Amino acid sequence: MNKQWTIIFALIFTLIVAIFAVINVRSVEVDYLFGRSEWPLILVILGSVLMGALIVFSVGIFQVMKLKREIKALRKENETAIHKQEDTQLADLNDTQDASARLEKKD
């Protein structure tokens, strides 16, 4: 259900940006580091939205990769802890069996 709401909000946002861009069709002057040019405002708006989406997507991918790395490390740590616990339980069981065997020999 959460993904459906995300898609609905994305479509609404896209529709609002498209309407806003179509309303603003006059030319504007854009300054670059190396010069100036005239561009239709619709292209400036759509380009800005696409650049913003690209930045958000890149940051999201970075976060996902970071979380996957953390999950992998935690799983490895968990497996190590489980193996240590199993070894401890096995050692305790062996000690108990040895103690039982010694008691039986004394009797």
Side-chain angles (χ1 to χ4, degrees):
M1 188 72 180
N2 191 19
K3 284 190 175 193
Q4 291 173 348
W5 284 111
T6 303
I7 292 171
I8 290 171
F9 286 131
L11 288 174
I12 290 171
F13 178 74
T14 303
L15 183 64
I16 290 171
V17 169
I19 291 170
F20 183 73
V22 169
I23 291 172
N24 294 294
V25 291
R26 70 177 188 275
S27 291
V28 293
E29 190 173 290
V30 179
D31 293 321
Y32 302 105
L33 292 174
F34 50 85
R36 308 183 163 179
S37 64
E38 292 271 330
W39 286 80
L41 186 56
I42 187 171
L43 292 179
V44 174
I45 292 170
L46 292 177
S48 299
V49 169
L50 289 175
M51 286 174 48
L54 181 64
I55 291 169
V56 169
F57 179 75
S58 299
V59 170
I61 291 295
F62 176 74
Q63 287 286 1
V64 167
M65 289 173 57
K66 181 180 169 185
L67 289 173
K68 282 185 177 182
R69 202 174 318 124
E70 185 177 343
I71 288 171
K72 186 177 180 180
L74 288 173
R75 282 186 178 158
K76 189 174 184 179
E77 182 181 321
N78 191 20
E79 286 177 9
T80 304
I82 288 172
H83 289 306
K84 284 182 182 179
Q85 185 179 16
E86 288 173 350
D87 291 343
T88 303
Q89 289 175 348
L90 186 59
D92 289 345
L93 181 61
N94 287 338
D95 290 343
T96 305
Q97 288 174 348
D98 290 344
S100 296
R102 278 186 246 132
L103 283 174
E104 287 176 6
K105 286 182 182 179
K106 285 184 180 180
D107 292 336

